[in-house]
Each structure stands twice: as C-alpha cells, then as structure tokens.
C-alpha cells in the first residue's frame, strides 16, 4: 500500500493455508535503540513473523480489552503537514487516511493486535473472521446484531453489497483493487467492465458472485481459493459505505461514520474535528475504544514545527500526536538526547520501499534509467529522512519485512556505493543525445519533498543530466503521479505490502493489466513477461509462488528497470506527555491510534 510521505500496509500473508498466516510488519517499540544498527534492524524486521489466527465468534465479540490505565475524556490534537488524500473509504489506500479510517469506519473484519505483538483477524461487522467452503472459493460472513451507522440506520447485507459494488464505479479510482479483480475471475484485467454502473443504475453482481440471501448474510464466490480474503476485507478501502447516504463523488468530503467517532467538521486541507459517535456500540467491537471525547486534526503544520512543539511539550501540545509524520531529521538528537522526551517516542521498521519511479511512456532509453539508478545518492536521501533512524539503503524492490526478501540482491551496487556511482552513470550517458538527458522530476511541496528534490538534483546533475524539477501538491501527490498522461519523467513513490506476500507488491505496482489512471503502476509497466509471471504466481501455492515472485523481481530490475530503489523506511514518532496508550502498531506501521487516551 502507498505510504503518505514516504503507503501503509496491512500486515498478513498466507503461509500455507487459510488460518495459517504470517505477520511481518513493525513490532511494538517504545524504548529500544531501533535505528542505530541497520543490520540488526533488518534482522528484527525479518524475524517479526508470528502465527496469525483467524478468530472465531468468541474472539470477535466486544468490548475490546481495556488499555491499562486508560481514562476517558479530553481531545487529542493530531498534527499533519499535508491534508488528507481521501475520506471516502473506497478511495483510501494511503497511510494518512488509513489512520483516520480506524476511528471512523468499520469493515467486515479487522486486525486485532495484543500487547505482545500477536495479531489476529477478527470479525468487525461480521460475527467472526469468515467461514470458507468449497476449498476456499466460497466465503460466508454473518453480520452482528445492533450495528448502526452514525445516523442510527441499521447496517445490513445490502450495505455490504453496495460497498462492494460501488468499487466498480468510475469515480472510485484510488483504492485497493484486490476484491474487485478476484470477483472478476479470469477477466480480472478488465474488472471495471464487470459492473461499470457500480450498482447505482440498478444493475448488480449476480448471486453466483456475491449473494445476500438475507439481511445478515454475505456470501462471496470466487473462481479459485482466496484464503487471504479475511485480511483483505480488513483494509480501510473496504470499509462500509451505507447505501442510503452514499453521495457518490461528494461522499469523499462528508462520509458517514460506523466507528467510534464521527465527523463534526471538515475543512479540506486545514482541519478535521471528530466527536464521539453515540450510535457506536462497544459491545459489538473487539478492537476499538472511545476514550477521548474527540480528535482535532490540524493540517499545514510542518514536521519541524511538530517536532519543536512536541519537544517543548506545552499547553495543547502535551495532548498531541503526529499522524503519519515523524521526528524532523535535524532534531533527532534533541529527542534521543533527552530521556524525558525519548520515552515519548514510538519507532520501528516499516514495510515501505521508496523508489524513484520512471515514467516508461516518456523515459524509453534504458541507458538513461540505468545511469540514474547508479547515480542516485541514497545516503543523502536517507540523511534527509533522519539518517539511521529514517531508513536504510534499498538495493532492490522487496523490503526486509517481506517474505522473499534478498538482502544481498544488489544489481546496481546500491549497497557498495550508497552515495551514488557517478563514474558509472557518466559512462552510460556518454553517447546519449542531449535531448534525452533532460529529465522532469516531480516532488511534493513539503519539507521532506524539498529535501528529496535537492538530493535528486545534486546527484543527477553531477552525472551530466539536466534536471527540471516540478512542484506537486503534497496532499494530492499520488493522485497526480497516478495520472497516465502526467507530464513527469520520474517521481519518488513508496509502497508497502498490503499483507506480507510479494504478490501485494509485484501485482499492484508492476502488473501490465493495471496500467490505468489511479493505479499504483506509476511506471506504466506494460511488459508481457511481467504479466505472465504474475498470472503464474497467482495460481501457485505460496512456496512455489515465492520463486516466481523472485523471478519477477529480477526480471523487472535487470530487464525492465521501472524505478531506482532508494531506501527502506523506518518510523520515529513523538507524542505529548499527556498522551497514554501509545505504541508502535504492527498493522499500521505507525502509532496505534486505536488505543490512545489522555492521562488527565
């Protein structure tokens, strides 16, 4: 999934079969020395696999286990530099809105994480994590009693059907594609044609695909086993949109809540105020709490200002958290040098790989792409993210948190020359026409975006390239670079697995069948062999599939080269002293927003 500044990941993959899963996200880490030893951090990241279970009805019954010492009342202040990408659940596929979605929206299933880092998939709106039959091709969910939206309307199977069907509508372009493509079966690459009206025109998916025989039952039918459906349905992009209140495109600005909080006011790009949803029943929710009276999101606050205010810890800043941002790089020593401040941090390895994605429709000369891949200065880029606390050099497209990660697979010598190999780059560019040496680079208009711009320009200019940098609004950054006809040659993008399977990296980011507006195939990869390898892996058992995903990565890096791998991300966030319950969430790869409370 896309990261916001650096795409949030849901952290689960099928290891052998349904019910036997492995988690490889970021563990709870509130006081360790994470960030000071990259090799140790990567080893810890790869060792975070633990058995993940699918919970039964008992494990899916609320209320959620109380957070030790938690109190009710008060408003938590939330600081963020850029505005939210989306609030329509069907459009949510980025970490910022994903965090907000945990407070606002419920899904059929949800991830539950205990204080030891163990994760299970529980029923959220459903009574359990789902019942499979027909060899995993059919999944049945029963809805809990007493579930209502913020308007007091009961949630029924019709609302679930509507939520699924609207995903096929043209105005939904920025959310996850998994469920839709699976329901389309063999025609997954043309899934948009399955229900172009999105259910709004009275046409619906047949019962042989999606059946709702009564108000409490939802049945999915697939053409092949889908053992990872429970964690797919836990994604924010599949949160419930009540049919009665769906306003299509306008829903993005005023969605109806089903979670513990609802929207009181929303000024796009400026502020978002959440208050308690009185129609949320904690007895039906095994994951969420409703400790604070509300949340006040303030946008437009730079990471450096956030960090200064949180270090000072005065007034409302004592009640504040960072949403997806982290400690600003130049102030890291101020944080780690003070025991009182340092104990208010959460930190850990994220699943994201940052890369400089090449627009293959424009950058057709592979020598230019190779030269850039050799020239980019990962060391400088990582310094801007906070050095060892911000990330590690990435030699390839798979993160240390991903099954199949190859620590030594480094075809462009990124580990040996993290500062860039300018000599090699110049050699490659020697016979390249001047016109092809002019490259247009898009960057987000944030503090981090500015740092990245400087690092990219410096390295590529030294290699002999003419870099033209174009500023892009940070809140709509992924939307802008996600347009097929965008006017840029390259842009930095970040991707983390939606659950730990290489298929949730290779398929969404490089599948030729998913070259479309809003698709995360930002490089517009259209290579037929990549498509063949994806189709092959999707029909294999996990062990065999892992070999095919590995082959796909090697082919992509060595033959296609859709992007230059830059760095693996880490998170290092700071909270005010009056905020309790803070821990690093394995599922969100950010502070676990579901547990927070104010101490006084």
């Amino acid at each position: 999934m896309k990261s916001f500044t650096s795409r949030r990941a849901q952290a689960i993959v099928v290891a052998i079969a349904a019910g036997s899963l492995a988690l490889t996200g970021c563990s709870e880490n509130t006081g360790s020395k994470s960030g000071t030893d990259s090799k140790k951090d990567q080893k810890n990241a790869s060792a975070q696999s633990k058995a993940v279970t699918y919970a039964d009805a008992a494990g899916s019954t609320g209320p959620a286990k109380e957070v030790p010492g938690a109190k009710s009342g008060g408003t938590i202040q939330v600081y963020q530099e850029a505005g939210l990408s989306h609030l329509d659940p069907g459009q949510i596929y980025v970490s910022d809105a994903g965090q907000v979605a945990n407070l606002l929206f419920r899904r059929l299933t949800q991830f539950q994480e205990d204080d030891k880092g163990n994760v299970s998939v529980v029923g959220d709106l459903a009574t359990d994590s789902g019942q499979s039959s027909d060899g995993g091709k059919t999944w049945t969910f029963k809805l809990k009693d007493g579930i209502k939206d913020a308007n007091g309307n009961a949630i029924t199977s019709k609302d679930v059907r509507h939520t699924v069907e609207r995903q096929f509508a043209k105005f939904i372009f920025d959310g996850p594609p998994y469920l839709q493509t699976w329901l389309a079966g063999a025609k997954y690459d043309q899934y948009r044609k399955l229900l172009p009206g999105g259910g709004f025109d009275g046409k619906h998916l047949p019962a042989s695909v999606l059946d709702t025989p009564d108000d409490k039952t939802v049945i999915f039918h697939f053409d092949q086993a889908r053992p990872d459906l429970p964690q797919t349905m836990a994604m924010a992009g599949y949160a419930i949109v009540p049919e009665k209140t769906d306003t299509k495109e306008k829903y993005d600005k005023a969605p109806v809540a089903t979670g513990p909080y609802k929207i009181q006011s929303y000024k796009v790009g400026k502020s978002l105020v959440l208050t308690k949803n009185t129609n949320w029943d904690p007895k039906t929710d095994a994951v969420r709490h409703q400790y604070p009276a509300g949340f006040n999101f303030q946008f437009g606050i730079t990471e450096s200002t956030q960090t200064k205010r949180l270090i000072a810890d005065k007034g409302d800043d004592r009640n504040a958290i960072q949403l997806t941002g982290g400690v600003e790089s130049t102030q890291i020593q101020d944080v780690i040098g003070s025991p009182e401040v340092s104990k208010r941090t959460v930190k850990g390895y994220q699943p994201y790989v940052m890369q400089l994605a090449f627009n293959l429709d424009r950058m057709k000369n592979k020598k230019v792409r190779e030269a850039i891949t050799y020239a980019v200065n990962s060391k400088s880029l990582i310094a801007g993210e906070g050095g060892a606390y911000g990330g590690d050099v990435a030699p390839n497209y798979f993160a240390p948190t991903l099954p199949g990660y190859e620590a030594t697979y480094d075809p462009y010598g990124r580990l040996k020359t993290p500062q860039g190999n300018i000599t090699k780059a110049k050699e490659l560019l020697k016979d390249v026409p001047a016109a092809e040496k002019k490259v247009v680079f898009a960057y987000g208009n944030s503090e981090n975006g500015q740092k990245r711009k400087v690092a990219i320009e410096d390295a590529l200019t030294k290699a002999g390239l003419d870099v033209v940098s174009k500023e892009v609004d940070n809140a709509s950054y992924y939307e802008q670079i996600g347009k097929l006809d965008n006017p840029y040659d390259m842009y930095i993008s970040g991707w983390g697995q939606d659950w730990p399977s290489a298929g949730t990296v290779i398929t969404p980011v490089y599948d030729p069948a998913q070259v479309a507006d809003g698709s995360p195939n930002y490089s517009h990869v259209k290579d037929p062999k990549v498509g063949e390898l994806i189709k092959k892996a999707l029909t294999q058992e996990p062990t065999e599939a892992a070999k095919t995903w590995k082959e796909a990565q090697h082919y992509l890096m060595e033959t296609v080269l859709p992007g230059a791998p830059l760095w693996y991300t880490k998170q290092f966030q700071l909270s005010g002293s009056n905020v309790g319950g803070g821990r690093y969430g394995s599922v969100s790869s950010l502070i676990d927003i579901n547990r927070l409370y104010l101490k006084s």
Side-chain angles (χ1 to χ4, degrees):
M1 175 172 278
K2 289 177 286 193
S3 70
F4 180 59
T5 56
S6 13
R7 235 178 187 216
R8 181 181 64 88
Q10 300 288 3
I12 300 183
V13 70
V14 177
I16 299 174
S20 177
L21 309 170
L23 173 78
T24 50
C26 301
S27 64
E28 176 182 358
N29 189 336
T30 56
S32 76
K33 296 181 180 178
S34 174
T36 58
D37 186 334
S38 293
K39 288 185 177 179
K40 184 178 179 181
D41 285 347
Q42 290 195 16
K43 184 177 180 181
N44 288 342
S46 64
Q48 286 170 5
S49 296
K50 293 185 178 182
V52 175
T53 58
Y54 282 174
D56 58 15
S60 304
T61 301
K65 183 180 178 181
E66 292 292 335
V67 176
K71 298 179 180 180
S72 296
T75 299
I76 290 181
Q77 308 296 321
V78 186
Y79 300 151
Q80 180 80 338
E81 185 165 356
L84 296 175
S85 48
H86 292 288
L87 274 180
D88 182 329
Q91 302 273 50
I92 294 178
Y93 208 6
V94 182
S95 53
D96 60 343
Q99 279 285 73
V100 180
N102 284 322
L103 303 173
L104 289 175
F105 307 124
R106 298 181 69 177
R107 304 81 140 152
L108 278 178
T109 60
Q110 180 59 289
F111 295 110
Q112 182 184 67
E113 184 175 354
D114 67 17
D115 56 5
K116 296 180 181 179
N118 299 307
V119 174
S120 58
V121 181
V122 303
D124 190 2
L125 294 177
T127 56
D128 56 26
S129 55
Q131 298 292 321
S132 65
S133 56
D134 189 25
K137 294 181 181 180
T138 298
W139 281 89
T140 301
F141 297 88
K142 296 282 188 177
L143 301 184
K144 294 175 180 176
D145 295 327
I147 304 285
K148 298 179 180 179
D149 65 20
N151 295 324
N153 297 317
I155 298 297
T156 72
S157 61
K158 291 181 180 178
D159 296 303
V160 179
R161 170 183 283 278
H162 176 72
T163 298
V164 173
E165 293 183 336
R166 75 191 296 273
Q167 295 278 353
F168 294 90
K170 290 183 179 180
F171 70 88
I172 299 293
F173 58 86
D174 212 17
Y178 299 106
L179 182 60
Q180 304 93 292
T181 57
W182 294 349
L183 291 172
K187 297 182 179 180
Y188 82 96
D189 56 341
Q190 302 178 50
Y191 78 88
R192 286 284 185 182
K193 298 179 180 180
L194 187 62
L195 197 71
F200 292 98
D201 55 2
K203 297 179 181 178
H204 300 286
L205 295 173
S208 59
V209 173
L210 174 60
D211 194 12
T212 51
D214 56 57
D215 283 349
K216 288 292 182 70
T217 306
V218 179
I219 306 172
F220 294 97
H221 298 283
F222 304 103
D223 66 338
Q224 65 184 73
R226 297 295 179 185
D228 42 2
L229 182 68
Q231 61 264 24
T232 308
M233 299 311 297
M235 297 176 71
Y238 297 117
I240 295 300
V241 174
E243 184 175 17
K244 293 179 181 178
T245 50
D246 192 347
T247 53
K248 297 184 179 180
E249 291 89 344
K250 296 179 181 178
Y251 199 75
D252 213 5
K253 301 296 183 289
V256 176
T258 49
Y261 295 90
K262 63 181 181 180
I263 297 174
Q264 177 176 297
S265 65
Y266 182 34
K267 296 180 180 178
V268 177
K270 296 181 179 180
S271 65
L272 172 67
V273 178
L274 306 185
T275 57
K276 286 187 176 182
N277 173 12
T278 56
N279 282 299
W280 173 77
D281 184 355
K283 294 178 182 178
T284 68
D285 199 324
V287 177
R288 302 171 188 81
H289 301 280
Q290 201 183 47
Y291 296 131
F295 289 79
N296 181 18
F297 293 78
Q298 299 176 42
F299 306 110
I301 303 177
T302 64
E303 282 194 347
S304 57
T305 300
Q306 293 173 30
T307 306
K308 288 177 183 176
R309 288 168 59 170
L310 290 168
I311 289 174
D313 199 41
K314 304 292 183 182
D316 264 353
D317 295 328
R318 296 177 62 247
N319 304 327
I321 65 169
Q322 296 180 294
L323 184 63
T324 62
V327 175
E328 194 269 326
S329 59
T330 65
Q331 300 176 69
I332 285 178
Q333 293 303 319
D334 296 330
V335 173
I336 63 177
S338 168
E340 287 301 309
V341 178
S342 184
K343 71 181 183 181
R344 296 191 268 118
T345 62
V346 294
K347 43 191 175 290
Y349 225 112
Q350 295 188 301
Y352 306 116
V353 180
M354 305 302 295
Q355 67 169 280
L356 183 61
F358 302 130
N359 183 343
L360 298 180
D361 289 335
R362 292 169 58 98
M363 295 191 71
K364 297 182 179 181
N365 190 332
K366 192 189 175 196
K367 278 193 175 181
V368 176
R369 303 199 301 274
E370 288 176 337
I372 292 172
T373 304
Y374 279 108
V376 284
N377 190 334
S378 288
K379 191 172 182 180
S380 176
L381 286 161
I382 293 169
E385 304 296 316
Y389 283 88
D392 292 330
V393 177
N396 55 64
Y397 301 145
F398 286 1
T401 58
L402 191 68
Y405 167 64
E406 299 174 87
T408 59
Y409 177 54
D410 186 17
Y412 296 94
R414 306 296 306 136
L415 298 175
K416 292 180 181 179
T417 55
Q419 75 282 3
N421 187 338
I422 300 300
T423 301
K424 180 68 174 178
K426 286 182 175 180
E427 181 184 323
L428 285 162
L429 292 171
K430 187 170 57 176
D431 299 321
V432 172
E436 294 182 30
K437 292 181 182 179
K438 182 177 182 180
V439 290
V440 182
F441 170 63
Y443 69 97
N445 63 344
S446 65
E447 284 185 333
N448 277 347
Q450 183 66 32
K451 293 175 185 176
R452 296 169 184 178
K453 166 185 174 287
V454 172
I456 293 294
E457 284 182 344
D458 179 65
L460 301 193
T461 300
K462 287 178 180 176
L465 291 161
D466 178 11
V467 183
V468 179
S469 297
K470 299 287 186 179
E471 186 178 278
V472 176
D473 172 57
N474 213 45
S476 61
Y477 179 79
Y478 278 107
E479 185 176 335
Q480 297 304 314
I481 68 172
K483 293 179 179 178
L484 284 180
D485 63 347
N486 76 70
Y488 315 116
D489 294 315
M490 55 188 187
Y491 19 76
I492 291 178
S493 65
W495 189 269
Q497 68 259 18
D498 290 303
W499 53 88
S501 164
T504 69
V505 173
I506 296 292
T507 305
V509 183
Y510 306 111
D511 189 351
Q514 297 192 40
V515 177
D517 283 338
S519 166
N521 187 339
Y522 301 117
S523 296
H524 313 156
V525 176
K526 300 169 185 173
D527 192 287
K529 183 173 179 178
V530 177
E532 290 170 9
L533 289 169
I534 289 173
K535 287 182 179 180
K536 179 181 177 182
L538 291 175
T539 61
Q540 294 175 315
E541 290 300 311
T543 302
E544 287 301 310
K547 298 176 183 177
T548 306
W549 294 128
K550 177 180 176 180
E551 182 184 351
Q553 180 187 210
H554 285 225
Y555 179 77
L556 280 160
M557 288 208 68
E558 297 166 28
T559 303
V560 182
L561 193 58
L566 299 174
W567 75 93
Y568 301 132
T569 68
K570 298 177 184 176
Q571 186 56 284
F572 187 38
Q573 293 183 293
L574 181 61
S575 301
S577 62
N578 196 39
V579 177
R583 72 176 182 189
Y584 205 87
S586 294
V587 177
S588 67
S589 300
L590 297 161
I591 191 169
D592 190 341
I593 205 166
N594 289 327
R595 294 167 42 91
L596 302 180
Y597 64 89
L598 293 180
K599 299 173 185 177
S600 62

